[in-house]
Amino acid sequence: MAHDVVVIGAGFAGLSAAVRLAEAGVTVTVLEQAPRLGGRATAFTDKTTGERVDNGQHALFGCYRETYAFLRTIGTADLAPPDPRLELVMADVSGRQSRLSCPPLPAPMHLLAGVLSWGALPLADRWSTVKMAPFLRAARSRGAEAVAAEVPAHLTVSQWLESLGQGPVVREWLWNPLALAALNQSPDVAGARAFARVLGELFGPDPGASSLGVPTVPLDELYAEPAARFVEARGGQVLRGVPARLSSEKVSGAFFVSSDTKKAPDTFSAAAIVCAVPWHALRALWPAGPPATMAKIVTNAEHIVAEPIVSVNLWFDRPVLSHRQVGLVGTTFDWAFRPARPQRSRRDANEPDPTSEVALHRVTLVASGARDQLRLDNDALVALAERELRACLGGAPGAPPTPGADAAVSLREARRVHAVVVREPRATFSVAPGAPARPGTGTPVPGLFLAGDWTDTGLPGTIEGAVRSGHAAAAAVLAHLR
């Protein structure tokens, strides 16, 4: 079966490439090995509650220009609206809570003004953020990519922040949580260049770039299924549960893609291929081994180190978060999220009577760079997550709520009725100094292109990086087909 282009992989990278190509009038076939779309950013149905749960909490930022362009194309940008401005609620294990609220000033003054008035920090730490101003102004005037390239490659995030005079408390309450969220790796290990690029994007010319947008629907409804419908409406097809294998050489000017499933034809041929699989799945595309010219790229991909994320979903018998997300300080879990979508009413998982029902209210706690947590069993992870949530947000018994505090009284009295642990051992990749080189979009094989957050986007493993890579691959394909 002949096609213009075959895209292998249906995560953000593959689907954004397919949509951009379909929009340009190219007939596209997307092959996804898994039974559902979305790759490392998808959703599943919890059997006990019937609720759709993401395989890991994902959030967007206002600076995700390519991501929001992709969502606008498929008609879902309104399902993850960015906040009007940057606001963060943080809480530590002593139960102290505080809100960082940035005023509507030009960037990066909005951040500096917000931090200078932030009571969570000692005065000296607040003033230390002013030392970040030259970097942030340079990012605004010369671009995030240019200023990030000037950061010494050997520095970790912690070393870089210390060299810029950032105090220990502002690192603990602001910079480290942002680094963990963006890089999924300890600031003591992650490379400073990657974080500098993120900060340059977040606090560039647009003050809305740092605003957070949390999807109001499960991830597959946000992008995966709408993208598939977009491609199919333009004559393409999106096939699930179809593993793809590439021939090592072109035949008659075309690539041949084989499949060993009864769900699809045995062979597809295409003038161009977009490989949008994760780094660890690249070699498996060639059962007989990759072409010799691809050997270095494949070998480098195999040496990329994976970084895990562990998420614990806790259902309570009453609402326990009055904020959509709260950063946790001094804990194993970094963030607590309240899903924006409506909660369902289902049977209490701990009740023997199957007719009993309770209104369930879910909180998702996320541990980034969670190597140690991967080794814990589910019961231990659930207990740890609940203990840290209650320590940070439960408040002292009988104490009145503090300004900006969460629903402490409700959480103290809440009962957990259900829990689900989600492990993503290969959620992202390491950006530590000395990491293997990441490949570009083009390859030594004409007509074969790469996409994925792990390619050389200049960003860490983020949704925006994945979409940028998909759009870059689509542009390269269109140039190749001309």
Side-chain angles (χ1 to χ4, degrees):
M1 184 178 295
H3 308 261
D4 292 339
V5 180
V6 169
V7 176
I8 304 174
F12 265 106
L15 289 174
S16 60
V19 165
R20 184 60 63 88
L21 290 167
E23 189 179 24
V26 175
T27 303
V28 184
T29 292
V30 180
L31 305 180
E32 171 54 52
Q33 179 169 311
R36 60 176 181 252
L37 306 179
R40 287 171 286 145
T42 187
F44 62 93
T45 301
D46 175 54
K47 294 180 181 179
T48 298
T49 64
E51 189 176 345
R52 295 286 291 165
V53 178
D54 292 338
N55 69 328
Q57 181 65 54
H58 291 73
L60 312 181
F61 284 97
C63 62
Y64 283 18
R65 296 179 299 277
E66 296 294 316
T67 301
Y68 276 104
F70 167 51
L71 296 180
R72 283 193 295 272
T73 299
I74 61 177
T76 61
D78 61 327
L79 299 179
D83 296 335
R85 59 182 181 177
L86 174 62
E87 286 197 343
L88 294 176
V89 176
M90 306 295 293
D92 67 10
V93 289
S94 71
R96 181 169 65 114
Q97 298 177 46
S98 185
R99 184 198 301 265
L100 167 64
S101 183
C102 296
L105 296 173
M109 294 306 299
H110 71 308
L111 173 68
L112 300 178
V115 173
L116 286 173
S117 63
W118 192 15
L121 308 182
L123 188 58
D125 280 72
R126 282 184 251 172
W127 278 107
S128 75
T129 59
V130 176
K131 298 176 183 178
M132 294 291 291
F135 167 80
L136 296 174
R137 283 198 300 266
R140 178 177 179 174
S141 62
R142 295 194 288 118
E145 183 177 4
V147 295
E150 296 171 356
V151 174
H154 67 278
L155 290 182
T156 65
V157 172
S158 294
Q159 290 168 340
W160 181 61
L161 290 172
E162 187 173 0
S163 74
L164 293 175
Q166 299 306 287
V169 181
V170 73
R171 294 205 305 268
E172 184 180 34
W173 280 71
L174 178 61
W175 301 127
N176 289 355
L178 286 178
L180 282 165
L183 310 181
N184 188 36
Q185 197 168 23
S186 166
D188 294 334
V189 177
R193 276 189 176 177
F195 189 50
R197 177 67 182 269
V198 169
L199 290 184
E201 300 264 354
L202 285 174
F203 303 113
D206 179 10
S210 56
S211 297
L212 194 65
V214 177
T216 59
V217 295
L219 283 170
D220 54 353
E221 294 179 30
L222 176 70
Y223 83 100
E225 295 299 338
R229 291 192 292 269
F230 186 96
V231 169
E232 290 167 347
R234 287 153 182 80
Q237 57 183 337
V238 179
L239 303 179
R240 302 157 173 82
V242 178
R245 300 294 180 260
L246 281 167
S247 60
S248 294
E249 303 293 341
K250 275 187 174 182
V251 180
S252 302
F255 292 95
F256 280 83
V257 185
S258 62
S259 174
D260 57 3
T261 177
K262 296 180 180 179
K263 294 183 179 181
D266 292 335
T267 306
F268 303 85
S269 64
I273 300 288
V274 176
C275 293
V277 300
W279 67 95
H280 52 81
L282 187 62
R283 181 177 288 277
L285 292 178
W286 292 277
T293 54
M294 288 290 295
K296 184 175 181 180
I297 290 175
V298 172
T299 299
N300 280 348
E302 289 180 314
H303 285 88
I304 291 175
V305 175
E307 289 294 334
I309 293 178
V310 170
S311 302
V312 176
N313 297 275
L314 305 176
W315 282 263
F316 292 93
D317 61 356
R318 67 196 68 198
V320 299
L321 282 186
S322 57
H323 302 291
R324 189 181 57 187
Q325 71 278 330
V326 179
L328 308 181
V329 178
T331 53
T332 300
F333 289 87
D334 311 304
W335 295 88
F337 289 86
R338 182 196 68 202
R341 44 194 173 270
Q343 304 291 301
R344 295 171 180 256
S345 178
R346 283 292 184 268
R347 179 175 64 87
D348 183 339
N350 293 333
E351 283 287 344
D353 179 4
T355 64
S356 67
E357 289 193 351
V358 62
L360 301 182
H361 301 271
R362 178 162 60 94
V363 177
T364 300
L365 292 99
V366 179
S368 300
R371 292 177 177 274
D372 293 338
Q373 288 68 52
L374 279 180
R375 294 192 283 268
L376 299 178
D377 62 31
N378 286 356
D379 289 343
L381 285 168
V382 169
L384 176 61
E386 183 176 1
R387 185 166 63 250
E388 292 188 343
L389 182 71
R390 291 185 183 277
C392 292
L393 301 178
T402 56
D406 222 284
V409 174
S410 176
L411 183 55
R412 283 202 303 272
E413 299 171 354
R415 180 170 62 94
R416 175 175 58 82
V417 296
H418 181 49
V420 168
V421 175
V422 180
R423 291 174 169 83
E424 286 289 337
R426 293 166 166 170
T428 64
F429 51 89
S430 171
V431 291
R438 293 157 62 181
T441 303
T443 72
V445 179
L448 178 65
F449 303 95
L450 300 178
D453 60 352
W454 63 278
T455 60
D456 189 13
T457 65
L459 294 171
T462 61
I463 288 173
E464 176 69 1
V467 175
R468 288 189 190 184
S469 77
H471 287 170
V477 167
L478 293 174
H480 175 75
L481 294 178
R482 291 192 187 103

